Amino acid sequence: MKFHKHQITIMAFLAAAAVFPALAQEKSFPSVEIAGGGGAKNGSTYSTMLGELASACSQEISIKERTTTGGVENLSLVKENQVPLAIVPFDLLVLAKRENATSVASIKTIVSMHQEEVHFVARSDEKVEGGRTILGRTFGGETVVFNRAEDLANRPVGAVGGAVKTAEILSDLLRLKFTVKPFPTNDALKSALEQGQVDAAIFVAGQPQSLVAKLSGDRFKLLPLRGNADTAAVYTATKLEYKNLNGGRPVDSVSSPALLVARTFRSKDMLNNLAVLRSCFLENLANIQDKPMTHPSWQTVKGEDKGRWEWYDLPSTNSSTAVSAPRAVSTETQEKVLGLKKK
């Protein structure tokens, strides 16, 4: 079949018209990278929730996760401009501000995410200290039982990642002065607890924390943790409830929100990307919360909550979701409460 010259020109034009809009759309499609967690398959709350958010927002913005070890690394990455956004616990931000306010002065909240509960886990059996051990049996010595967090005063407590900092903060605010021992993984920490190398393990995550949810109630228990006037500036009273531990009964504890934060940007494109991300988060929050099998920590997210860290004022979008005023805690109060010793 032969085509006239003008027919070929028209066909080429139509082909180009079909291709270039697609290219333009792909080029202008917003994309952001967020420092998250250790991967959904490994039980990371951060990774699981980011994956669910990315799925809900797939038609508006591309969300890519940077796999990390958690809050401490995430804060370093966003401070060092290695990623534009990161999920960081509020208590770590407050501590970083106390130690070096300049280092986090440009970091602001995009959205306030879920509550991260503090889990103090101890062995259920008694511990015998002192005495003599003969053929695997200990004679004499003192029997010690851990029934609450206060029983850990001046004792070794293990933690992993950002939970190390949380343990240090609580040790000071509660005046318990336990010795915090860092471990590389939760599995290594569990092993140390089983072998008596530490008297308790602290896990900080939105419940259900994957490892805690698998512990045997015959061998382990959750220790009640009650805050005081000092912890109230950073933490909120909450309850832990695991059907496998403590007979399924609620246990007192404290929590701190995880915040999706970004450093301060200047370009219109990046500011627009952040605005689209916030808008999509707020507009899809109810749908994510109501969707079966999404992470339970979504139920603690409140779209109207701006959190207690500095809020990022972004360009307006078409979002119809209103955001209420923040629950402010003054810098003076935070610094007074977190009069921690520099490590």
Side-chain angles (χ1 to χ4, degrees), residues 24 26 47 74 96-97 108 152 154 160 162 171 181 191 210 217 236 246 266 292 297 311 334:
E26 181 180 353
S47 296
N74 291 356
K97 183 175 182 178
K108 301 179 181 180
L152 299 170
N154 302 307
V160 176
S171 175
K181 293 188 174 183
S191 177
S210 57
T236 303
N246 299 68
R266 301 171 183 81
S297 287
W311 188 252
Q334 291 176 359

Side-chain angles (χ1 to χ4, degrees), residues 86-218:
I87 301 178
V88 181
F90 173 62
D91 59 350
L92 296 191
L93 286 164
V94 174
L95 179 59
K97 183 175 182 178
R98 191 271 170 191
E99 294 177 339
N100 182 3
T102 303
S103 70
V104 292
S106 65
I107 296 176
K108 301 179 181 180
T109 303
I110 301 300
V111 292
S112 181
M113 295 189 65
H114 59 290
Q115 290 292 318
E116 294 197 297
E117 292 87 1
V118 178
H119 304 66
F120 270 98
V121 177
R123 285 170 40 171
S124 297
D125 57 350
E126 299 176 342
K127 180 179 182 180
V128 179
E129 297 180 333
R132 297 181 62 186
T133 300
I134 303 175
L135 298 177
R137 295 185 60 185
T138 301
F139 299 89
E142 179 184 0
T143 300
V144 179
V145 180
F146 303 109
N147 290 319
R148 54 181 188 159
E150 288 79 1
D151 295 333
L152 299 170
N154 302 307
R155 291 183 171 274
V157 173
V160 176
V164 172
K165 292 296 184 182
T166 298
E168 292 173 352
I169 293 172
L170 289 172
S171 175
D172 279 288
L173 296 185
L174 296 172
R175 299 171 181 83
L176 297 179
K177 305 300 180 184
F178 38 74
T179 303
V180 182
K181 293 188 174 183
F183 288 85
T185 66
N186 284 338
D187 288 336
L189 174 55
K190 177 188 174 186
S191 177
L193 179 60
E194 291 174 330
Q195 297 172 21
Q197 298 174 14
V198 293
D199 290 330
I202 178 173
F203 303 93
V204 182
Q207 62 176 318
Q209 200 277 345
S210 57
L211 186 147
V212 174
K214 298 176 183 177
L215 294 176
S216 168
D218 294 331

Side-chain angles (χ1 to χ4, degrees), residues 64-85:
K64 301 176 181 178
E65 181 187 13
R66 170 81 70 92
T67 302
T68 72
T69 57
V72 172
E73 182 180 358
N74 291 356
L75 180 56
S76 294
L77 288 172
V78 77
K79 284 167 57 176
E80 297 166 4
N81 194 25
Q82 299 300 306
V83 293
L85 297 109

Side-chain angles (χ1 to χ4, degrees), residues 28-33 60-64 84-85 270 273-274:
S28 61
F29 192 69
S31 176
V32 293
E33 183 182 26
E60 299 177 51
I61 187 168
S62 173
I63 298 175
K64 301 176 181 178
L85 297 109
M270 193 61 199
N273 289 356
L274 297 180

